[in-house]
């Protein structure tokens, strides 16, 4: 049964997804593993987890109401914002393309050394979405979705095997209707075809395309202002004519050739072109501090705003991976060469805007006809990378992982009317991991991971670009698997430091310098227990201390915004019989600071419960989900903007195979 991803799962994917480690063994059912999966296979079991959509569906039946393409990448991984991801092993440059959820087969959660193989500068972890691929038989599925606010969706998934050499799969999706926010609507269409051609028994060619648009009411981003945060999550303080539109075109081409010795050669290309436009009235954070936005009478200051962004990404990856012996030591190896280019242009225009009452909004204000340009720039990077990851089997119980990423890049930045500034630099990111099978039930592991990431799109007061950000993680873990595999538990301790973080330049306060440092320490516990084959519990808990360890302005020890110290999630699933299944998911996040620097506004502790019921037959199924059943208020934060948790919402999805 084709399944989708629940809102609570995606808000907290880094931990929630890690509950399903057992899905690793079933990854082959989802289609051909990606290169990130192959690379992850060179790491220890507890650091590379593959979660199938069928497992993800256990926590709910629909994608988030805020669907925009890659919602799950807005999470924090071990204390740091996950602002980029991988697509079928391709590196993303931090500006996420609008990938359609309808095309995702599974999500890999990469931790430790495996997470740094393809860059991104996140030693703590990464997420890789895996596309649906053609299978070995024909398949046709249609699903219809409706939510209580009035949003509806139709999805079609068609796969055909033309002959012994050619197969294809097409996923398409259309959204339309109202979201839970007052006077907000969405209109979205995407189509994702994939063609697989076995040119010879050893040579396979795969071509894929992701294209479509998202048109939505542009909702001003909530910020850390106590008066604004006291409002219902449904409150809309923009204008009904506010509009935002994203158009995406992404193409992928991959050649896979199997050599006589069993090794594989892979050549992959990705090209993406995406545009984003919005216009309307938003909060005036350009001229007022956060605590000044709302006056004593409840009027929030607004500004006329128009944004326009264009991005293009090209990535080429050439890889060889396989198994060999080095001085009689078995080794799984991967060696790759990556060539990439990322270009981004952005323009921001603002003007006067009428205020609106936060308690009794009256709409009808128009945008100003006179806008002033506040930002007009183009920037990007070219990179050339050599990467390798190798796992040595030193003994039947011991494995050593050695990896390195060597990168040469050129960044550039050009402000309107100014001379283009560029910078060349080199990055070196080694990593090492060791696992030891203590006995058939216990595995111990240690790892040290280093990562580097260029900082593009900003320059110092002297006009120079910044040196790359560097990250280091040390991690130890212990994994237990019961003899009958009814219980699986993993305990992980980690320490992460990120250096060269941008902070305020005291000599030129309108600019930044790259001398900041951020740290994160924590412990994670993941557990999966099957009481019976029909009754299963997944649980996760973590303690994370993420804080400022060096800065020119911020106090050392200040907590990083949006990161809860305590996090807990539980999911209990029960198959009553082959037709009926029930599920309940609980999530708790402790109190967090809303911004950095801390302005005194906090995000309260939050807990929510999702309930779901599924009835299925051989041909059709229906899922009913009550999201946030207790209608609890809660917020997430990326360190500045704040997102309300979805209020209570009924969601119904019906599927039919034909």
């Amino acid at each position: 049964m084709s399944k989708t991803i629940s809102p609570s799962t995606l808000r907290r994917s880094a931990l929630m997804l890690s509950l399903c480690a057992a899905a690793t063994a079933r990854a082959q059912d989802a289609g051909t593993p990606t290169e990130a999966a192959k690379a992850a296979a060179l790491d220890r079991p507890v650091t590379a987890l593959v979660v199938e959509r069928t497992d993800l569906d256990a926590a709910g039946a629909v994608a988030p109401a805020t669907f925009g393409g890659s919602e799950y990448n807005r999470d924090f991984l071990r204390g740091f914002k996950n602002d980029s991801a991988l697509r079928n092993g391709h590196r993303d440059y931090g500006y996420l393309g609008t990938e359609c959820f309808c095309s995702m087969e599974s999500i890999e959660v990469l931790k430790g050394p495996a997470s740094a193989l393809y860059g991104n500068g996140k030693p703590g972890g990464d997420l890789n979405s895996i596309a649906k691929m053609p299978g070995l038989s024909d398949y046709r599925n249609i699903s219809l979705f409706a939510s209580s606010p009035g949003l509806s969706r139709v999805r079609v998934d068609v796969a055909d095997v033309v002959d012994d050499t050619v197969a294809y799969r097409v996923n398409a999706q259309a959204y339309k209707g109202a979201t839970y926010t007052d006077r907000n609507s969405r209109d979205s269409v995407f189509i994702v075809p994939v063609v697989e051609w076995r040119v010879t028994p050893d040579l396979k060619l795969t071509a894929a395309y992701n294209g479509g648009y998202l048109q939505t009411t542009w909702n001003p981003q909530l910020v850390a202002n106590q008066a604004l945060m006291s409002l219902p999550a449904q409150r809309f303080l923009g204008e009904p004519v506010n509009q935002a539109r994203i158009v995406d075109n992404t193409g992928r081409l991959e050649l896979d050739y199997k050599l006589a010795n069993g090794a594989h050669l892979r050549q992959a290309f990705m090209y993406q072109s995406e545009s984003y436009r919005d216009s309307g009235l938003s909060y005036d954070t350009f001229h007022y501090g956060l605590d000044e936005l709302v006056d004593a009478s409840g009027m929030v200051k607004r500004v006329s705003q128009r944004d326009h962004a264009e991005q293009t990404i090209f990535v080429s990856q050439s890889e060889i991976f396989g198994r060999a012996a080095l001085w009689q030591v078995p080794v799984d190896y991967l060696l790759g060469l990556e060539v990439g280019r990322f270009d981004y242009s952005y323009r921001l225009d603002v003007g006067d805007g009428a205020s609106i009452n936060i308690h009794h909004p009256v709409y009808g204000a128009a945008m100003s006809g006179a806008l002033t340009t506040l930002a007009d720039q183009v920037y990007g990077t070219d990179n050339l990378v050599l990467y390798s990851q190798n796992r040595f089997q030193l003994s039947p119980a011991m494995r050593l992982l050695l990896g390195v990423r060597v990168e040469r890049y050129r960044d550039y930045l050009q402000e309107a009317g100014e001379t283009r500034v560029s910078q060349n630099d080199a990055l070196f990111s080694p990593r090492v991991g060791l696992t030891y099978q203590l006995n058939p039930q216990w595995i111990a592991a240690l790892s040290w991971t280093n990562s580097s990431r260029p900082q593009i799109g900003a320059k110092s007061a002297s006009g120079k670009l910044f040196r790359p950000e560097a990250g280091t993680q040390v991690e130890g873990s212990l994994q237990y698997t019961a003899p009958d595999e009814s219980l699986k538990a993993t305990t992980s301790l980690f320490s992460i430091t990120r250096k060269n973080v941008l902070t305020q330049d005291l000599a030129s306060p309108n600019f930044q310098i790259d001398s900041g440092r951020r740290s994160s320490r924590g412990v994670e516990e993941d557990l999966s227990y099957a009481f019976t084959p029909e009754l299963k519990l997944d649980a996760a808990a973590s303690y994370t201390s993420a804080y400022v360890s060096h800065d020119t302005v911020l106090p050392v020890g200040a907590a990083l915004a949006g990161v809860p110290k305590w996090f807990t999630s539980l999911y209990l699933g029960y198959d009553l019989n082959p037709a009926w299944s029930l599920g309940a998911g609980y999530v708790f996040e402790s109190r967090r600071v809303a911004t950095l620097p801390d302005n005194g506004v906090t995000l309260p502790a939050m807990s929510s419960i999702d309930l779901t019921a599924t009835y299925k037959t051989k041909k059709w199924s229906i899922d009913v989900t009550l999201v946030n059943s207790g209608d609890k208020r809660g917020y997430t934060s990326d360190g500045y903007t704040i997102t309300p948790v979805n209020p209570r919402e009924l969601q119904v999805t019906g599927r039919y195979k034909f």
Side-chain angles (χ1 to χ4, degrees):
M1 181 173 66
S2 174
K3 300 201 174 185
T4 52
I5 305 172
S6 76
S8 60
T9 301
L10 297 186
R11 287 198 304 266
R12 303 158 182 86
S13 57
L15 291 173
M16 192 70 174
L17 299 186
S18 66
L19 300 175
C20 305
T24 303
R26 302 192 301 275
Q28 64 270 22
D29 297 332
T32 303
T34 67
E35 299 321 303
K38 296 185 181 74
L42 305 184
D43 205 349
R44 58 188 172 86
V46 292
T47 60
L49 311 177
V50 179
V51 184
E52 295 180 275
R53 294 178 68 84
T54 51
D55 293 319
L56 291 174
D57 185 65
V62 297
T66 53
F67 173 81
S70 303
E71 181 73 14
Y72 66 91
N73 292 311
R74 304 302 194 238
D75 301 325
F76 289 87
L77 292 178
R78 292 184 169 178
F80 295 107
K81 189 172 185 293
N82 186 33
D83 53 4
S84 63
L86 301 174
R87 313 287 189 213
N88 292 328
H90 288 293
R91 185 162 68 112
D92 193 294
Y93 285 79
Y95 292 81
L96 298 174
T98 309
E99 198 83 5
C100 182
F101 271 98
C102 67
S103 68
M104 294 183 186
E105 185 68 59
S106 60
I107 297 173
E108 294 172 339
V109 183
L110 306 176
K111 295 183 180 181
S115 69
L117 179 64
Y118 290 99
N120 288 303
K122 296 183 300 182
D126 217 337
L127 302 176
N128 179 42
S129 61
I130 304 173
K132 293 179 180 178
M133 303 299 292
L136 301 177
S137 61
D138 297 347
Y139 175 81
R140 291 169 176 81
N141 176 291
I142 186 170
S143 68
L144 300 175
F145 158 81
S147 70
S148 51
L151 192 66
S152 60
R153 181 195 71 210
V154 58
R155 281 180 176 169
V156 177
D157 185 356
V158 176
D160 276 318
V161 179
V162 178
D163 55 34
D164 292 340
T165 61
V166 178
Y168 72 86
R169 190 166 187 173
V170 178
N171 280 272
Q173 169 181 283
Y175 259 101
K176 195 171 183 63
T179 70
Y180 71 83
T181 306
D182 295 338
R183 295 178 177 260
N184 273 226
S185 64
R186 308 179 70 84
D187 180 7
S188 174
V189 174
F190 278 88
I191 184 168
V192 188
V194 182
V195 178
E196 194 174 86
W197 177 28
R198 289 203 169 269
V199 184
T200 70
D202 297 323
L203 177 61
K204 182 177 69 174
L205 184 149
T206 304
Y209 169 76
N210 180 95
Y213 73 89
L214 169 67
Q215 180 96 23
T216 184
T217 307
W218 181 44
N219 196 352
Q221 293 178 307
L222 187 61
V223 290
N225 176 283
Q226 200 62 60
L228 294 175
M229 291 179 59
S230 67
L231 301 173
Q234 297 88 339
R235 185 63 44 85
F236 175 56
L237 296 174
E239 290 291 333
V241 295
N242 282 16
Q243 290 293 317
R245 183 179 178 87
I246 300 173
V247 178
D248 177 84
N249 289 282
T250 302
R252 294 183 173 89
L253 182 67
E254 179 178 318
L255 288 167
D256 186 297
Y257 182 68
K258 184 178 180 181
L259 301 176
N261 64 359
H264 283 256
L265 290 173
R266 171 183 177 262
Q267 176 61 56
F269 301 97
M270 183 196 78
Y271 179 79
Q272 179 181 88
S273 175
E274 180 163 303
S275 65
Y276 172 82
R277 298 173 184 268
D278 66 46
S279 63
L281 271 72
S282 182
Y283 304 132
D284 190 0
T285 56
F286 303 99
H287 305 102
Y288 298 93
L290 297 181
D291 57 345
E292 302 171 325
L293 280 177
V294 182
D295 64 23
S297 62
M299 302 298 290
V300 59
K301 300 174 178 64
R302 298 191 301 178
V303 63
S304 297
Q305 182 174 338
R306 182 170 61 217
D307 299 87
H308 179 205
E310 302 274 352
Q311 72 175 35
T312 57
I313 299 174
F314 170 79
V315 179
S316 167
Q317 287 179 341
S318 307
E319 294 180 338
I320 181 170
F321 54 90
R323 175 167 293 183
L326 183 64
W327 298 301
Q328 298 184 336
V329 176
V331 56
D332 295 307
Y333 64 89
L334 184 149
L335 179 66
L337 176 68
E338 176 186 300
V339 179
R341 181 175 178 86
F342 166 64
D343 295 287
Y344 187 79
S345 64
Y346 176 69
R347 176 166 175 157
L348 166 66
D349 301 308
V350 300
D352 294 336
S355 299
I356 193 170
N357 190 280
I358 64 173
H359 302 293
H360 306 285
V362 177
Y363 306 106
M367 283 188 63
S368 171
L371 302 182
T372 301
T373 300
L374 292 190
D376 188 1
Q377 59 182 200
V378 295
Y379 55 86
T381 185
D382 298 322
N383 70 327
L384 178 66
V385 187
L386 181 67
Y387 55 91
S388 177
Q389 193 139 292
N390 309 282
R391 185 180 64 177
F392 300 86
Q393 187 172 334
L394 303 180
S395 72
M398 184 181 296
R399 288 170 173 81
L400 173 68
L401 178 100
L402 296 177
V404 67
R405 178 179 172 90
V406 181
E407 179 172 356
R408 181 73 179 176
Y409 73 91
R410 180 188 66 87
D411 290 347
Y412 74 89
L413 169 65
Q414 184 172 11
E415 305 276 0
E418 297 183 9
T419 303
R420 175 173 293 203
V421 180
S422 63
Q423 172 179 276
N424 297 308
D425 209 337
L427 308 177
F428 180 75
S429 306
R431 63 198 67 97
V432 60
L434 184 68
T435 64
Y436 188 76
Q437 184 97 31
L438 301 172
N439 58 48
Q441 278 72 56
W442 291 92
I443 297 177
L446 291 171
S447 67
W448 175 85
T449 305
N450 181 268
S451 66
S452 300
R453 184 178 189 175
Q455 304 198 74
I456 58 178
K459 62 182 179 180
S460 65
S462 63
K464 294 183 179 180
L465 302 183
F466 294 107
R467 56 182 171 170
E469 184 180 294
T472 302
Q473 174 181 264
V474 178
E475 179 183 3
S477 66
L478 192 62
Q479 178 177 276
Y480 172 78
T481 302
D484 61 357
E485 297 192 352
S486 61
L487 172 63
K488 296 188 177 184
T490 302
T491 302
S492 301
L493 292 90
F494 63 89
S495 175
I496 303 174
T497 300
R498 298 179 72 166
K499 299 181 294 184
N500 306 339
V501 177
L502 299 185
T503 182
Q504 188 176 11
D505 185 347
L506 296 180
S508 302
N510 293 327
F511 291 88
Q512 295 174 303
I513 56 175
D514 51 8
S515 65
R517 184 174 295 187
R518 307 289 184 261
S519 298
S520 178
R521 312 279 188 267
V523 57
E524 297 173 349
E525 182 69 36
D526 297 334
L527 180 146
S528 178
Y529 181 64
F531 297 95
T532 69
E534 298 77 26
L535 182 62
K536 298 179 181 180
L537 172 70
D538 288 326
S542 69
Y543 172 82
T544 305
S545 176
Y547 56 92
V548 175
S549 47
H550 183 269
D551 202 273
T552 57
V553 176
L554 303 173
V556 172
L560 301 189
V563 182
K565 283 188 177 294
W566 296 99
F567 168 85
T568 304
S569 71
L570 302 171
Y571 179 76
L572 186 66
Y574 182 47
D575 295 329
L576 295 170
N577 53 52
W580 281 98
S581 299
L582 301 176
Y586 169 79
V587 174
F588 168 80
E589 290 184 349
S590 63
R591 184 176 179 177
R592 293 136 290 158
V593 298
T595 62
L596 187 66
D598 184 4
N599 69 344
V601 178
T602 60
L603 306 182
M606 174 184 67
S607 63
S608 65
I609 297 176
D610 292 355
L611 303 173
T612 184
T614 300
Y615 178 79
K616 61 177 181 286
T617 69
K618 186 176 181 179
K619 285 288 187 180
W620 61 273
S621 68
I622 185 168
D623 296 329
V624 179
T625 299
L626 188 62
V627 177
N628 192 5
S629 58
D631 201 22
K632 299 292 186 179
R633 175 177 290 187
Y635 305 91
T636 61
S637 171
D638 63 4
Y640 184 76
T641 60
I642 297 168
T643 303
V645 169
N646 209 96
R648 180 166 52 211
E649 183 174 304
L650 182 65
Q651 303 168 339
V652 180
T653 303
R655 303 178 183 87
Y656 178 71
K657 294 181 180 180
F658 59 96

